[in-house]
Amino acid sequence: MLTGTMARARRMFGAALVVSVLALGVGVVAGPALHPGVAQAQEAGAVPGGTLGTASESEFWRDVRGGAQGTVSIPDKKAGVMVQSSGENWRAIRNGPLSRIGIWLLAGMIVALALFFAARGRIKIDSGLSGRLIERFNTIERVAHWLTAGSFVLLAFTGLNVLYGRYMFAGQAAPSGEFGILHAIFAVLTYYGKLGHHFIAFAFMAGLILTFGLWVRDNIPDRLDLKWLAVAGGLLTRGVHPPARKFNAGQKIMFWAVILGGLSLSLSGLSMMFPFTIPLFAKTFAVLNLFGLDLPTALSGVQEMQLSQVSHASVALVMATIIIAHIYIGSLGMEGAFDAMGSGMVDENWAREHHGLWVAEVKGETPPAVHDGGAGAAAPKQA
């Protein structure tokens, strides 16, 4: 009885299998005829249902290449951009014109100062040292100066290392696959330099605030600055000393370059220090567009960061170039100039030659009527 039942089960299973194979064969053969659209799509390499499949739609990929924003389920919505094309532009600018122009600026300033020193020599005190000292800057003013200057120098070195260090120290790997000692030193300096850069930046910002508060009143441009600029401050001609108060036109240019440049560096630096939280350029471009420009205002967070980096590096390179000239004139370039920020006391003849109106104001003297030669260093009569 059991044997008969098993035999019937085997016959039914075999019949079902035969019917399934025949049905599959009919579907394969008759399918294209019954659904010609599907057949044509398959022959064209596409997938039924209107999806892309292996076919390439130029508009779709053009949008992807242009940075189209897709939808992602993770919290970081920036990952919805498959191709961030502006990143290529940023990298090309950073490693191309920005780096090349920057190194030419720095090297060009050093060469220009070397040629100037060879031709002009050190700018001496025409009247010689008087032996009498006058206070040029008090302690608070010197602290503000050195806080700003010292932090900027450290920031410049660590920043230049990020921009140029790998070209100088990060050589190719050895055949064994290990990097050389210079590369290892570069890696350590760059890592800790980046950390130091972030913290030193706040000291620089504090110095900027102090500097602005202490000296902004004395750095307002006036008509005397035109006389100073007309003779290049007497730097090119011996015995020429145009009138100046506490700060001459050259120092005023330096002051505003540091304040405005430092403000720009601070804003772009904070934008990078706290990424995607301080958008600067979309709003700035919107304001500039009021003057007829056609700058993009729909910027993504990544584009804001890229623009911040380019702006930060560009302004820093220009400021570093200017500061090199400032360091030269305040040390090797001019006799007696370093004392102003060293001890705060300068020789009276130096002060009368370069800031005669300021000396007269401090001492309560009658301002010199003519102040353009060595004779102007002589102390005028008391008012």
Side-chain angles (χ1 to χ4, degrees):
M1 184 69 178
L2 180 61
T3 303
T5 302
M6 293 179 64
R8 284 195 301 271
R10 285 197 297 270
R11 286 195 297 271
M12 292 174 63
F13 176 78
L17 180 62
V18 170
V19 171
S20 299
V21 171
L22 290 174
L24 178 62
V26 171
V28 171
V29 173
L34 296 174
H35 303 283
V38 173
Q40 293 173 2
Q42 290 174 339
E43 291 175 0
V47 176
T51 59
L52 290 177
T54 58
S56 175
E57 295 186 4
S58 59
E59 291 186 4
F60 171 82
W61 291 111
R62 189 179 298 113
D63 289 342
V64 170
R65 188 68 174 80
Q69 176 74 45
T71 303
V72 292
S73 59
I74 62 176
D76 186 7
K77 302 307 178 185
K78 297 186 298 298
V81 178
M82 186 181 300
V83 178
Q84 213 271 320
S85 298
S86 59
E88 292 181 317
N89 299 331
W90 165 76
R91 182 174 56 189
I93 292 172
R94 181 191 183 278
N95 298 336
L98 178 62
S99 296
R100 288 196 299 269
I101 294 174
I103 201 66
W104 278 111
L105 282 175
L106 296 171
M109 178 58 75
I110 294 173
V111 171
L113 291 174
L115 294 174
F116 177 78
F117 182 77
R120 178 71 166 85
R122 195 178 195 196
I123 300 173
K124 299 286 188 179
I125 301 174
D126 292 335
S127 302
L129 294 172
S130 67
R132 299 183 303 274
L133 299 179
I134 183 173
E135 185 181 56
R136 176 74 171 145
F137 296 113
N138 59 36
T139 301
I140 295 178
E141 291 175 311
R142 297 201 308 279
V143 167
H145 172 271
W146 287 116
L147 179 62
T148 308
S151 58
F152 179 84
V153 170
L154 292 175
L155 290 170
F157 275 116
T158 53
L160 288 172
N161 178 59
V162 171
L163 189 59
Y164 296 112
R166 65 192 181 97
Y167 299 113
M168 299 177 63
F169 304 113
Q172 297 295 322
S176 61
E178 298 180 357
F179 288 103
I181 184 65
L182 284 179
H183 195 120
I185 294 174
F186 164 73
V188 173
L189 289 177
T190 303
Y191 175 75
Y192 288 104
K194 176 179 177 293
L195 296 179
H197 198 92
H198 289 170
F199 289 101
I200 296 169
F202 291 102
F204 177 68
M205 295 178 203
L208 283 178
I209 294 172
L210 280 173
T211 299
F212 182 81
L214 288 169
W215 291 330
V216 63
R217 183 173 62 88
D218 296 313
N219 279 279
I220 303 299
D222 56 35
R223 59 182 180 82
L224 289 176
D225 299 328
L226 298 177
K227 296 182 179 181
W228 193 94
L229 292 172
V231 295
L235 298 177
L236 304 177
T237 308
R238 289 178 173 83
V240 175
H241 303 291
R245 295 189 173 90
K246 185 167 186 175
F247 295 109
N248 57 43
Q251 292 167 324
K252 290 178 180 180
I253 292 173
M254 175 61 61
F255 173 85
W256 288 111
V258 170
I259 294 298
L260 297 178
L263 176 62
S264 175
L265 287 178
S266 299
L267 292 175
S268 58
L270 288 171
S271 177
M272 291 187 289
M273 197 181 301
F274 303 100
F276 311 113
T277 59
I278 310 176
L280 298 175
F281 290 91
K283 296 180 180 179
T284 302
F285 289 169
V287 174
L288 293 176
N289 286 343
L290 297 176
F291 298 94
L293 300 179
D294 187 21
L295 300 173
T297 55
L299 300 174
S300 66
V302 174
Q303 289 173 318
E304 286 276 358
M305 294 295 295
Q306 291 162 349
L307 288 170
S308 291
Q309 195 279 331
V310 171
S311 170
H312 194 80
S314 301
V315 174
L317 287 167
V318 172
M319 283 189 64
T321 303
I322 297 173
I323 294 297
I324 290 174
H326 177 68
I327 293 174
Y328 165 79
I329 202 68
S331 55
L332 179 64
M334 179 180 288
E335 180 184 13
F338 182 80
D339 296 334
M341 280 301 173
S343 64
M345 306 296 292
V346 296
D347 188 84
E348 189 171 311
N349 280 356
W350 179 90
R352 290 187 184 280
E353 289 183 7
H354 298 289
H355 301 277
L357 297 176
W358 170 75
V359 174
E361 180 182 348
V362 170
K363 288 183 166 291
E365 301 169 350
T366 302
V370 178
H371 187 71
D372 58 358
K381 295 180 180 180
Q382 297 287 334

